[in-house]
């Protein structure tokens, strides 16, 4: 019996085409909630950039954010994993030196180093984000503790830069950027912590995703669901592949497994 559902946002709950949650998903999640099933978000976005869940916000019981580095249940902090300070400062220095844009995410705020047209294209246009920490000093974010870097770099640059951060790991859910977090911070590990805090067995969880950073949680959940628009790697890790976000994928999977009625 499934007791908790975990949903990635971009490409899973929210369509890249409409920037909205399909009505079929809203209705399906509301039905699951009425049946007493917990509803949780599992996203690479930090809390400050979650701006597209208004249709189901009242149904959400908790959040895995920043790729598992910061998690809450009922508004209470459950997980906070910061990047080692020396590694964070070294990466910031490297970003300035090489000139690539980097989103620097702290516990409570964020900022962007070297903003450029790609930042506008990826965040403001593709993800429909408006706030990017304009005017926030990177030193202030460093002092509170960095939970995630999102540099706009290609895979070759990522492979070159990661050795300077031995206490960190990287994951991609979109080709143009990487999410870098401290070791031990990923969606799969966060799921295990959340389930333990909720007092449920991992076998009683179901997780949905489409991108590379969803692979750990899809592999860890009792039932892992890949969206029809997911990467091949995510589909291979899943127990079930549903239809795409724009083709009622969430509703179809929940009906398939009997979580809600048909």
């Amino acid at each position: 019996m499934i007791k908790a559902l975990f949903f990635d946002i971009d490409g899973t709950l929210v369509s890249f085409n409409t920037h909205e949650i399909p009505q079929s998903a809203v209705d399906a999640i509301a039905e699951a909630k009425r049946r007493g099933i917990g509803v949780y978000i599992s996203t690479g976005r930090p809390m400050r950039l979650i701006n597209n869940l208004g249709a189901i916000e009242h149904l959400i019981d908790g959040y895995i954010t920043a790729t598992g580095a910061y998690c809450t249940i009922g508004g209470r902090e459950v997980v906070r994993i910061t990047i080692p300070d020396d590694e964070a400062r070294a990466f910031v220095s490297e970003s300035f030196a090489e000139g690539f844009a980097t989103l620097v995410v702290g516990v409570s705020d964020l900022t962007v180093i070297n903003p450029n047209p790609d930042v506008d294209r990826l965040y403001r246009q593709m993800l429909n984000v408006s706030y990017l920490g304009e005017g926030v000093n990177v030193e202030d974010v460093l002092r509170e503790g960095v939970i995630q870097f999102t540099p706009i770099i290609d895979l070759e640059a990522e492979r070159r830069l990661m050795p300077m951060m031995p206490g960190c790991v990287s994951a991609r859910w979109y080709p143009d950027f990487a999410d870098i977090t401290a070791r031990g911070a990923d969606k799969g590990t966060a799921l295990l912590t959340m389930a333990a805090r909720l007092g449920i067995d991992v076998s009683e969880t179901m997780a949905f995703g489409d991108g590379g950073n969803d692979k750990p949680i899809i592999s860890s959940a009792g039932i892992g669901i890949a969206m029809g628009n997911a990467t091949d790697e995510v589909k291979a890790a899943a127990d079930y592949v549903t239809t795409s976000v724009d083709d009622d994928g969430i509703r179809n999977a929940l009906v398939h497994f009997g979580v809600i009625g048909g």
Side-chain angles (χ1 to χ4, degrees), residues 98 153-163 172 175 178:
E98 294 196 20
I153 53 176
D154 60 22
L155 189 57
E156 180 181 348
E158 178 189 342
R159 288 170 175 162
R160 176 174 53 81
L161 291 166
M162 287 307 295
R172 285 180 181 260

Side-chain angles (χ1 to χ4, degrees), residues 23-37:
Q23 189 60 47
S24 64
V26 174
D27 295 341
I29 292 168
E31 182 177 342
K33 183 76 172 185
R34 287 193 297 271
R35 294 184 176 213
I37 298 170

Side-chain angles (χ1 to χ4, degrees), residues 20-247:
E20 296 180 354
I21 304 173
Q23 189 60 47
S24 64
V26 174
D27 295 341
I29 292 168
E31 182 177 342
K33 183 76 172 185
R34 287 193 297 271
R35 294 184 176 213
I37 298 170
V39 176
Y40 299 87
I41 298 303
S42 170
T43 181
R45 293 194 186 213
M47 286 297 299
R48 290 299 301 264
L49 297 190
I50 297 176
N51 63 347
N52 50 2
L53 300 180
I56 63 165
E57 194 169 10
H58 61 294
L59 304 173
I60 298 170
D61 297 295
Y63 293 82
I64 294 172
T65 71
T67 321
Y70 191 80
C71 309
T72 62
I73 296 175
R76 295 184 178 181
E77 183 180 299
V78 174
V79 173
R80 179 197 295 207
I81 305 175
T82 56
I83 292 172
D85 184 65
D86 59 335
E87 296 184 22
R89 291 180 179 276
F91 193 80
V92 165
S93 295
E94 195 68 20
S95 181
F96 278 123
E98 294 196 20
F100 58 83
T102 300
L103 179 69
V104 185
V105 180
V107 173
S108 63
D109 212 343
L110 52 82
T111 192
V112 176
I113 296 172
N114 301 323
N116 61 24
D118 282 335
V119 173
D120 286 330
R121 174 176 63 86
L122 293 168
Y123 285 100
R124 293 193 169 91
Q125 297 176 33
M126 186 182 83
L127 299 180
N128 202 32
V129 166
S130 55
Y131 176 75
L132 287 173
E134 293 83 354
V136 176
N137 191 296
V138 69
E139 181 60 34
D140 293 335
V141 180
L142 285 165
R143 274 198 295 267
E144 71 171 350
V146 175
I147 58 174
Q148 182 170 279
F149 286 116
T150 303
I152 300 176
I153 53 176
D154 60 22
L155 189 57
E156 180 181 348
E158 178 189 342
R159 288 170 175 162
R160 176 174 53 81
L161 291 166
M162 287 307 295
M164 70 182 291
M165 306 178 76
C168 296
V169 294
S170 62
R172 285 180 181 260
W173 58 271
Y174 194 77
D176 291 358
F177 53 78
D179 285 335
I180 299 172
T181 56
R183 289 192 179 277
D186 63 67
K187 293 185 181 184
T189 303
L191 171 72
L192 301 180
T193 302
M194 298 279 274
R197 184 63 63 93
L198 292 167
I200 63 175
D201 193 85
V202 175
S203 65
E204 298 171 315
T205 66
M206 177 181 287
F208 292 73
D210 70 298
N213 66 354
D214 295 312
K215 185 180 175 182
I217 194 169
I218 283 176
S219 298
S220 298
I223 300 175
I225 308 293
M227 305 301 290
N229 49 281
T231 65
D232 290 341
E233 183 182 24
V234 173
K235 289 178 179 179
D239 298 298
Y240 180 76
V241 179
T242 186
T243 50
S244 73
V245 59
D246 293 303
D247 192 24

